[in-house]
Each structure stands twice: as structure tokens, then as C-alpha cells.
Amino acid sequence: MAVAETALTRKVVERGTSGERTRDLLFRLALLLCMLIAMLFLGALIVDVALDGGSILSTDFVTKYPSRFNADTAGVRSALLGTLWLMVLCAAFIIPIGVAAAVYLEEYADNNRWYNRLIELNIQNLAAVPSVVYGILGLAFIVRGPIEIWGLGKGNPTLLAGALTLGLLVLPVVIIVAREAVRAVPSSIREGSLALGATQWQTIYRQVLPGALPGIATGVILALSRAIGETAPLLLVGAGSFLLFDPQVDGAFSAMPIQIFSFVGEAKPGYRDLAAAAILVLLAILLIMNSFAIYLRNRYETKW
Amino acid sequence: MADGQKSAGGSGSGSEGLIRTRTARTVREQAIKGLLVAAAVLSVLTTTGIVVTLITESSSFFEDIPFKDFFFGTDWEPLAGGEQQSFGVVPLVWSTLYLTFVALVVAIPVGLGVGVYLAEYASPRVRKIFKPIIELLAGIPTIVFGYFALVFFTPLLQNELGLDLRVFNGLSGGIILGILVLPTIASVSEDALSAVPQALREGAFGLGAAKWQVVVRVVFPAALSGVVAALVLGASRAIGETVVILVASGNTPNLTFDLTVAHQNMAAFIANAARSDAAAGSTAYATIFAVGATLFVMTFLLNIVAIRFVRKHRQVYD
Amino acid sequence: MRLHRSIAVLAGCGVCAFGVAACGDDKKESSGGSGSGAEVKDLSGSIRIDGSSTVQPVAEAATEGFNAEAPNVKISVGGIGTGDGFKRFCRGELQIADASRAIEKDDIADQCESGEVEPVQVQVGIDGLSVATHKDLAIPNDCITTDQLKELLDPKSKVSNYKELGAGFPDEKVSFFTPGTESGTYDFFTEELLETDKEQRTEDVETSADDNQIITGITGTKGALGYVGFAFADQNKDKLKILAVDGGEGCIKPEIKTIADNSYAPLSRPLFMYPSTKTVKQPEVKAFIQYILDNNQQVNEAADYVPLTPELLEKAKTDLTAAKAVAPPTE
């Protein structure tokens, strides 16, 4: 895929007129300028956050509860636990459903049927719907549901409601990625299994899924890292901030993006730096997750 | 021999034991298939849920406020009291489109520039370093960009560049929104450009073209549908972005070209109004759904356009 | 088989996690303690408080202090605005509604109307609604009269520059940052000062349910003027200018003293918490409000508001003990 200039093409370029070469050079400079701008903003962002928040990072910061009054003793404990819980609950939701849907679409569904194409189209569209609309869905259906089950419904903004809303948000992504992973398994594997007398499900369960597992795992981790970075759906669902207790599945909760949002909003001095420190914590979590995904991909990628 | 029956397979010689095994297995296979179908159908249910919610709540909104007043009115004060309350959505839609425009003015040139550079000019080693960096930028949570806009970028524009900006302004929000969308454009266009077969480039070089001519006149047009898909995806993302605008650009849309004042887009309005949590059933609350429906339709249409282009792009090289 | 095993392990972890979470706090409702002899520290349960963003610092300061004594009570505090707080309260979603004005007829809706939820009024502090401007806005004598405020913020106001207020006023374009219609502060300001039915100018006005956002707006915009609860203004007093207000008796600056003895008029106002007759019977809810009254000085100081005067404090304590539903308001 990478464009490698051959010796021949390089000679052709060098043979060009000086006017050509200046235009070429200018074009190349313009492109480098674009790279520079992009890297500059990224660099400024990270440096600014690190400078503002670096000094506040400590074990106290992640183990203490936040405070509206005292910037010195504030921590992100409730928000951090909330984010971790959201990750776990969201995964429990999206993994079975996402993989099941992907398996159905790849292995069972006849693409000539209109309803299967409708499902496909649906998933592609859902992947591009703004996160705030998912928040509306979560608020209207999950939080304000007419029946109260397990903390959901009747206006209860619970951790479970937040996790489900985020799950719905990233489910299309998981399905798409899982489908590609399943599709990558060569049909010879399936055919061999079927020829040996296995049923379709046995083939999928014992041959296809294990082969697609690394790809699915990578996709799930990336989807989760997107989910825990989202703020808008949680704002709509009613996540709290400055909670002084650990979250419960069927109780009030907070999350890192919400806590950062609250810190940023505080006008009192010192809170902006707290926001920066919280950002560093969140970025660290995301970095760990993404590195893990890359590790999985490199280590377990099956070369067919 | 009892093992060797496919669920869809033919009938064996019919001994009682064989048929019973096949039936049991068939039932289980069907049950599993049923579960899988249910999972896939959930996606349809989600869309149905979104559409149903938006339509039912919006219809109660439009019972009170006529379509004409909403879509053509220029006075947007949905949360004001008494006589002052007004539901003309034009300023909100304008601010949304204007902020998206500012974002794209930043994101398209820079994003395409990065994409072209990585696809055509960068050595494999450089590419190996910078493509992941761009993907990293794409994964940064949006609240971080919001923070950056309010805490760093706005003061920078006010103090270092001396611009007469309000603290909540459209310029800062718009530009940072562009930076947020940039990696999407860079990444997708880079993929599109890399997919162009090498043969096209070699042919152009063979005809004596300079490198930049090859890129601009041959590769780029060949990858055009993919590049356009990248742009449309970027635009779609910018239109629906909530937190950056919520934090950095204030609570009021403004029907003006002036970027030094506050601007609010539809997504930020929804988030802000929901935080206020007006009573379910009030007109102000229903505005959330009316605006949500408008936003949903806009991104939906954009996305259909993008999918069309991507499909066209895929066909060329298959 | 490898897949089988991994799924089994994951499922097992999932079940364990749910088990821990579900078993975590069985005592969700008010089962902690048994009547008045209960130890405060044994109290458990969860209290949802929401409403006035002005009163929010009081609730939060109280939470921090109260949780030191009763660590098992989970209290979440929001600030969506007095009006919206009452709406949630009357839907049964809150144990306590914070309010920076007394409950009104329009607030009695939903379950409050049907009688399932009966609000009990307890005053917890006093606020002096403060008018603040950008640090460099040169209002003469740093004092503004109530008439001038009315001129600036009246719904029909067309003032676009401060100099239109008269000689001595700066030549600066107006820019206002105020709470919105969800806020009791807004209600109070519009009723007391503008004397309108909750209507205020919309041109050049940025409203926000978030007092911090109002402060940020004022401190960052040269021609800015706005109003917030005293705590928010006072805590940021080195970043902005708090104006003295002349209600006819001369320029009075909002301070603890002037607010407490009501000389900062007409902008002194009571801060309330409204439990319902049902929720006040929950030991943890009653203990929480009791805590605020018993430690009224410290809580209000921490929140940067004015503590109740001795008479008001007595009345509040009686109101809490009596736990009688507030009489249906007539307006």
C-alpha cells in the first residue's frame, strides 16, 4: 500500500525543469506545513494539559473524592470508578450482542433478502448518528422508561442506564468490526468443518469465532475506549458530578468525562488545573487500552 | 454415523435413532439462529426507538408551535419566560452550519494535506510513526478539546493575537472543532489515496509528469469518491459535535457572521436544555426533541451521501 | 475449547461483578437506624437533592460535613434551577428540593397537586443576590440603582451602551450574563427588581443554568454585567467587581452583615430546602437537614452565604420537627 518511488520514477522527476522542481518543492512544503499544523496543535494540547495538571497527579488524586470547595483536596475517585464500571457493564452488553449480530449477518443472512439489507443499512447509519441523539434515546427510553427494573426507568439516572446508552452508541462499531474479523476467516476452514459433519453453529463456534477472536477483541477494546470518552450521552442521561461516594450499578454515578466537564466549568481558581489532571488520568486509561489492543493485534493476529 | 448429519443436510436412511438426533440438533440450531437474529434486530430496534421518540415528542411540540414559526422564525428563545419565549430555529441552524463551516475551513486543507503527505510522500518509516499518531488524535475524547479551546486557545487569541473576542465565542470553538475533525479527514482520505493502484502512478511518471502533477492530476481524481466520503464524514462529525461548542462557544446561537460572539449548535443546545431538565411535557422540553429530530435528519442525509460515495469508490477497484 | 474456556471465565467474572454490585448496599431505603435513638454514623440510604444552583453550595458543604459523621448515606446534589427542581420534586424523583424562593402556585403540579407529595418548607440560609460586572467596567462609585438595573434589563429595554444610563457611565457596549427561567434567582430578580411576571430582556443577554458559566462570562467580557447568588460573586471577587445597590436608601454593598440585617434591600432573600412529608420521615433525610440547622454557621460560611439569624434558626428547627406540609400558595 505504501507508495514506494522506484529508481526510474525518481530519475524522471529529477530530469524535470527547474520551474517544475520549484512547483514540486512548494507543493511538498505546503503538505509539510499541514503536517506541522496538525502536530503543533496536538503537541500544544498535550503539553498544555501536562503542564497544568501534571503537578496535581498523585495517588491522592485518584483515591479521594471530589470537592466543590477545596481544590487542594479534590480527587476523582467517584468519577474514575464510574468510568471503570461503565467500561465493564458496557462490555458485558456489547460483546455478546455485537458478536451475535455480526455472526448472523456474516454466516446466516442471505444478502438478497430485503430485511437483511435493511439491517445492514441500519447499522451503517447508526454508526454516524451524533452521540447526543443516543443520549436523547437513553433519556427518553431507558431513564424515563415506564417500568422500573433493576434501577432503570422512572426517571432514575443510574450507572446501568448510562452503560446501556453508551453500549447502544458503540454497538454499530462493534458489529462492523466483528463482521470484518469473521469475514477474514477463509471459507476453506468452514467448508472443512462442515465436510467433517459439524453443524453450522458448531463450525462457527469451534472454528470461525476462535479464528476471528483477535480481530473482535481489538475492535471491542477500541469501541470501549470510544464509549468511555463520551460526554454528551452521559449529560443527557443525568450523570452526576462531585459525588462523594462510590457508584452502584443501580444508583447515581459519575464518570471521568463528566467530572472533567464539571471541573472545567468551575469558575473558582485551581479547578482548571484539576480538569487538566483528570484529563491526564483519562488519557492514561485510553492509552493503556489502545496499547493493549495493538498488542493483541500484533501477538494474536492469525495469518491465514 | 450418527454424527455425520448436517442440519440442512439431506435425509439419511431413516432409522429412528438418526431422525431423533437430527431433530434435536435442528431445534437447537434453529434456537441459536433465533438468538443471533434477535441480536441483529436490536440494531433496527435502536433506530426505531430513536425515530419513534423523536417523532412522538416532536409532534407534541408541533401541536403548539406551527411548522412555519419553527423552521422560518428567526427569534430563538425557547427557554425564556412568558411573552419572550420564541421558537424560531433559524439562528440555531445557522450557527450550527456556520461553526461547521469554520471547522471545515480548518480541517479540509490541513486534513487533506496530511492525508496526501502520508499516502504519497512519506517514507514507510515516517508513515509508520505518524499514521498511528493521527489515529491517536482521533481517539482523544472531545471534552479534552473543549478544555483546550476554553482554557488555552481563547486566551491565546485574546491576549497574544489581540482579538476582541468574548470569552465564549464562535471562532475558538469553530477552529478547535476543525482540529477535532481533522484526523477523520486525514485518515480516511489517506486510506482512499493509498488504495489507488501503483500502476496509475507509474504510468504518469512514465509520461514525464512531476510528482506533484501525479498526485494532483492522477491519484487524487482516482481516489475522489473516497476523498469526498472523508470530507462528508468529517462534516457529519462536526455538525453533531456537542461538548466542544458547549464548553467554548456559549449558550446562544447568533444569526450573524460575527465570530467574536457566542454561537451554539443544535447538539450543544440539546445537551444544555437537558441539563436544565424542563418538565417532561412542557414546550421547552419538547424543543429538545424537535431540534434533535432536525439534527438527526441532517446527519442522516449527509451519511446517505457518504455511503453512496463510498460504494462508488469501492466498485472502481474490486 | 480455548474459546469455551475464555467465555466461561468472562461470564463468571461478569456474574461476580454483578453480585458484588447488587449485594453492595442492600439498605437502599431508609432502614438505617430505628427512630431517634439511632446513631448518626449508622445511618444509610440515598438522598437525591436538586433544584436551585444558588442553594447548591449549601447542600454540598453540608454533604461534605454530614458524610464525615454519617459515611454510609449517599447524597447526590444537582443544580438544575429552582423551577426545574420543583418539577422533579413533584414527580417524586427527589428527596429534597433546593429553592432560592418560596414555592409558588405554578410549582404545584403532578404529584404535588394530587397530594402524593407534600412539600415541607425549611429555611437554611440567607442570600444577597449580587450584581457583578467585569473588573474594568467603570460604573460611577461602583454603585447602581434599582431603577438603572430595571432600565438595563427590562424586557422592553433597548439600551445598547452603558453611557445611555447617564453622565459618568462608561462608553461600553452592554453584555449581560444572567440565570435563565429555570432559576429561582431569575424569578426573584424579575419579580423584585424588574417587577415583571418572570420576563427579562433577551437581547444581548446570555443565560445559563450554571452560575459558574455566568461568572466566567462576566470575568471574560469587558462590558459584562450580571447577577448571581452572593456565594458565587464573593468567591470570585478578585476577578470581578461587585456593585453596591441603591434601593432608595443609599448604596449598600452586599456583605454578610448587610444581608443578615436586611439593609441590603431589596436583594436579600431566604434560601430554602423542601423535603416532603414522606421523605422527612426518613431518618437520614431528617438528620441531614438537622445537621444543616445545628451547624448553620459553619455550613453557610463554607458555602459563603449568610447564616440564619437566631429567630429564623428557631423557626426553621420548629418547621423541621413539625414537618407540616406547606399551605397551598396563592400566587
Side-chain angles (χ1 to χ4, degrees):
Chain A
M1 283 287 222
V3 177
E5 288 182 318
T6 63
L8 175 66
T9 53
R10 214 176 293 137
K11 280 214 195 89
V12 169
V13 171
E14 282 168 1
R15 219 183 293 146
T17 65
S18 66
E20 277 299 321
R21 259 180 287 153
T22 2
R23 250 176 294 183
D24 211 33
L25 193 63
L26 284 175
F27 189 67
R28 189 183 269 256
L29 282 179
L31 293 182
L32 279 174
L33 184 64
C34 293
M35 287 288 292
L36 190 67
I37 294 178
M39 293 304 133
L40 205 64
F41 268 101
L42 174 62
L45 193 136
I46 298 201
V47 166
D48 181 51
V49 169
L51 283 181
D52 287 344
S55 49
I56 302 185
L57 281 185
S58 64
T59 40
D60 266 356
F61 186 66
V62 297
T63 51
K64 284 234 199 87
Y65 292 110
S67 163
R68 272 245 186 162
F69 300 96
N70 205 341
D72 300 322
T73 59
V76 292
R77 178 185 168 132
S78 39
L80 185 59
L81 285 174
T83 289
L84 295 174
W85 266 111
L86 282 173
M87 208 193 318
V88 167
L89 292 175
C90 194
F93 176 62
I94 62 177
I95 294 179
I97 298 191
V99 173
V103 164
Y104 169 73
L105 288 170
E106 278 302 308
E107 301 289 321
Y108 287 87
D110 179 2
N111 254 342
N112 292 324
R113 299 297 178 92
W114 65 271
Y115 43 83
N116 289 322
R117 270 187 303 192
L118 178 70
I119 295 179
E120 265 202 61
L121 187 64
N122 241 321
I123 294 175
Q124 281 182 315
N125 278 318
L126 283 175
V129 168
S131 57
V132 78
V133 176
Y134 281 96
I136 295 180
L137 182 68
L139 176 67
F141 262 98
I142 303 179
V143 173
R144 294 245 167 101
I147 327 164
E148 187 165 1
I149 331 165
W150 215 352
L152 302 175
K154 292 272 192 220
N156 262 326
T158 60
L159 187 63
L160 189 58
L164 286 178
T165 309
L166 290 178
L168 287 177
L169 173 68
V170 296
L171 193 60
V173 174
V174 174
I175 297 179
I176 292 175
V177 168
R179 281 191 71 180
E180 301 207 355
V182 166
R183 201 181 304 161
V185 176
S187 41
S188 51
I189 306 269
R190 290 186 192 78
E191 283 159 20
S193 167
L194 291 172
L196 287 172
T199 63
Q200 195 173 11
W201 173 246
Q202 282 174 329
T203 308
I204 294 174
Y205 189 62
R206 297 196 186 158
Q207 302 299 332
V208 177
L209 277 185
L213 199 58
I216 296 178
T218 312
V220 166
I221 294 178
L222 291 176
L224 286 176
S225 56
R226 182 166 165 209
I228 65 174
E230 287 286 339
T231 319
L234 295 180
L235 279 176
L236 271 270
V237 159
S241 58
F242 295 103
L243 295 189
L244 295 181
F245 50 86
D246 296 343
Q248 246 187 297
V249 174
D250 51 356
F253 72 105
S254 182
M256 288 301 284
I258 298 284
Q259 191 64 66
I260 296 169
F261 179 69
S262 307
F263 280 151
V264 170
E266 281 289 323
K268 287 199 279 285
Y271 276 89
R272 297 235 171 126
D273 294 344
L274 285 176
I279 290 177
L280 288 173
V281 173
L282 182 60
L283 288 180
I285 298 177
L286 292 174
L287 194 65
I288 295 176
M289 288 173 77
N290 281 308
S291 310
F292 187 56
I294 296 179
Y295 164 76
L296 276 184
R297 184 167 46 190
N298 293 339
R299 172 102 157 76
Y300 288 103
E301 197 165 25
T302 347
K303 312 268 190 248
W304 296 107
Chain B
M1 276 77 51
D3 277 4
Q5 299 289 345
K6 281 205 280 193
S7 60
S11 50
S13 55
S15 96
E16 281 291 311
L18 271 175
I19 291 178
R20 233 179 279 135
T21 309
R22 202 170 69 226
T23 313
R25 202 180 263 178
T26 317
V27 167
R28 198 178 53 171
E29 286 288 307
Q30 293 293 71
I32 291 180
K33 181 176 176 189
L35 283 177
L36 298 180
V37 173
V41 166
L42 184 64
S43 74
V44 179
L45 288 180
T46 309
T47 309
T48 319
I50 293 178
V51 172
V52 162
T53 310
L54 292 177
I55 290 186
T56 47
E57 300 282 350
S58 301
S59 52
S60 79
F61 174 83
F62 285 115
E63 271 168 24
D64 295 326
I65 312 291
F67 276 106
K68 198 165 51 86
D69 289 356
F70 181 70
F71 284 108
F72 295 102
T74 58
D75 200 5
W76 179 250
E77 294 290 343
L79 303 176
E83 293 278 304
Q84 308 263 324
Q85 202 177 28
S86 161
F87 294 94
V89 85
V90 169
L92 190 61
V93 173
W94 164 256
S95 279
T96 305
L97 295 176
Y98 192 36
L99 285 169
T100 306
F101 172 73
V102 173
L104 291 179
V105 160
V106 171
I108 292 183
V110 183
L112 282 182
V114 170
V116 168
Y117 182 78
L118 287 179
E120 304 291 317
Y121 282 81
S123 67
R125 202 174 39 150
V126 168
R127 207 166 158 274
K128 214 172 184 174
I129 301 177
F130 281 97
K131 186 129 206 267
I133 291 186
I134 296 291
E135 313 254 311
L136 206 76
L137 198 59
I140 295 182
T142 53
I143 180 65
V144 180
F145 287 96
Y147 167 89
F148 187 65
L150 184 68
V151 172
F152 181 80
F153 201 61
T154 297
L156 181 79
L157 294 179
Q158 283 176 321
N159 302 329
E160 313 308 325
L161 292 186
L163 298 175
D164 183 22
L165 295 174
R166 306 276 178 86
V167 67
F168 298 120
N169 64 83
L171 184 67
S172 189
I175 293 181
I176 299 300
L177 185 59
I179 303 297
L180 189 144
V181 165
L182 190 159
T184 308
I185 296 185
S187 192
V188 177
S189 60
E190 196 270 340
D191 285 338
L193 291 164
S194 298
V196 172
Q198 187 63 350
L200 283 173
R201 292 185 191 82
E202 304 267 334
F205 280 124
L207 289 170
K211 172 110 183 163
W212 75 271
Q213 287 171 323
V214 175
V215 171
V216 173
R217 303 238 181 107
V218 177
V219 181
F220 200 82
L224 192 62
S225 33
V227 168
V228 170
L231 300 188
V232 173
L233 280 173
S236 173
R237 219 179 143 199
I239 286 190
E241 173 51 37
T242 315
V243 187
V244 174
I245 306 298
L246 188 62
V247 171
S249 291
N251 279 339
T252 326
N254 267 307
L255 193 56
T256 169
F257 283 105
D258 187 359
L259 283 171
T260 67
V261 296
H263 281 272
Q264 186 186 48
N265 70 2
M266 292 188 274
F269 166 75
I270 293 171
N272 198 39
R275 280 172 75 210
S276 285
D277 196 81
S282 73
T283 318
Y285 178 73
T287 328
I288 295 179
F289 296 91
V291 174
T294 316
L295 178 64
F296 181 69
V297 167
M298 281 172 76
T299 49
F300 186 77
L301 290 175
L302 260 183
N303 194 48
I304 301 246
V305 170
I307 292 182
R308 277 269 170 80
F309 266 99
V310 169
R311 221 174 267 162
K312 212 168 63 162
H313 163 76
R314 282 235 185 94
Q315 281 173 359
V316 177
Y317 297 120
D318 275 349
Chain C
M1 271 311 134
R2 197 182 63 177
L3 182 68
H4 231 131
R5 216 163 4 124
S6 355
I7 292 189
V9 168
L10 278 175
C13 286
V15 170
C16 287
F18 273 114
V20 166
C23 299
D25 195 330
D26 285 339
K27 301 186 230 135
K28 287 209 44 270
E29 289 313 313
S30 58
S31 53
S34 50
S36 54
E39 288 287 342
V40 168
K41 63 176 160 59
D42 293 329
L43 287 175
S44 68
S46 57
I47 309 180
R48 256 184 229 276
I49 308 176
D50 210 333
S52 166
S53 59
T54 308
V55 181
Q56 192 178 5
V58 177
E60 287 171 338
T63 303
E64 293 198 11
F66 184 69
N67 268 147
E69 294 185 7
N72 291 322
V73 181
K74 300 197 198 312
I75 307 174
S76 63
V77 182
I80 55 175
T82 304
D84 291 340
F86 280 133
K87 285 174 185 152
R88 288 195 71 194
F89 181 70
C90 289
R91 289 205 291 267
E93 293 174 14
L94 305 172
Q95 275 74 41
I96 300 176
D98 288 339
S100 59
R101 59 165 169 77
I103 194 168
E104 292 171 358
K105 194 153 75 121
D106 286 337
D107 298 317
I108 308 286
D110 235 310
Q111 296 180 26
C112 292
E113 208 169 359
S114 64
E116 276 173 69
V117 173
E118 297 170 309
V120 175
Q121 179 176 296
V122 181
Q123 186 175 348
V124 294
I126 312 176
D127 173 36
L129 197 155
S130 307
V131 181
T133 66
H134 186 264
K135 222 165 20 147
D136 300 331
L137 191 64
I139 305 281
N141 297 325
D142 288 345
C143 176
I144 194 164
T145 70
T146 50
D147 287 330
Q148 285 162 343
L149 281 172
K150 190 163 179 191
E151 225 180 305
L152 288 173
L153 285 165
D154 188 82
K156 301 194 180 50
S157 169
K158 295 266 178 258
V159 175
S160 61
N161 192 306
Y162 288 104
K163 65 179 182 212
E164 296 175 40
L165 287 177
F169 278 87
D171 180 9
E172 191 72 55
K173 277 206 286 237
V174 297
S175 176
F176 301 113
F177 292 88
T178 78
T181 52
E182 72 290 326
S183 161
T185 311
Y186 174 91
D187 293 338
F188 182 80
F189 189 84
T190 51
E191 282 176 20
E192 291 295 321
L193 257 124
L194 302 182
E195 289 166 336
T196 64
D197 186 15
K198 304 214 175 96
E199 282 179 18
Q200 173 184 279
R201 168 189 182 139
T202 54
E203 183 118 9
D204 295 317
V205 174
E206 272 221 36
T207 64
S208 175
D210 186 349
D211 292 310
N212 285 299
Q213 203 172 24
I214 296 175
I215 298 287
T216 308
I218 295 176
T219 56
T221 311
K222 259 193 282 193
L225 181 145
Y227 58 88
V228 285
F230 177 71
F232 291 94
D234 192 52
Q235 278 168 353
N236 293 289
K237 58 175 179 267
D238 47 349
K239 286 195 287 182
L240 39 72
K241 205 186 323 194
I242 305 180
L243 295 180
V245 176
D246 183 355
E249 313 274 334
C251 295
I252 314 276
K253 243 189 148 196
E255 288 161 358
I256 307 275
K257 199 163 42 85
T258 56
I259 299 172
D261 65 20
N262 222 6
S263 49
Y264 180 67
L267 296 176
S268 296
R269 56 186 185 143
L271 300 176
F272 296 110
M273 278 193 184
Y274 285 87
S276 70
T277 48
K278 248 185 261 172
T279 61
V280 80
K281 293 202 184 83
Q282 293 171 235
E284 67 272 12
V285 175
K286 179 145 189 227
F288 178 71
I289 307 185
Q290 192 70 49
Y291 176 86
I292 298 180
L293 298 178
D294 291 339
N295 300 282
N296 202 256
Q297 182 89 13
Q298 294 97 294
V299 170
N300 274 301
E301 266 172 22
D304 213 353
Y305 282 116
V306 177
L308 296 169
T309 61
E311 307 91 56
L312 289 173
L313 189 57
E314 272 314 303
K315 176 167 189 303
K317 287 186 179 168
T318 327
D319 286 339
L320 179 63
T321 326
K324 284 241 169 36
V326 76
T330 46
E331 57 162 7

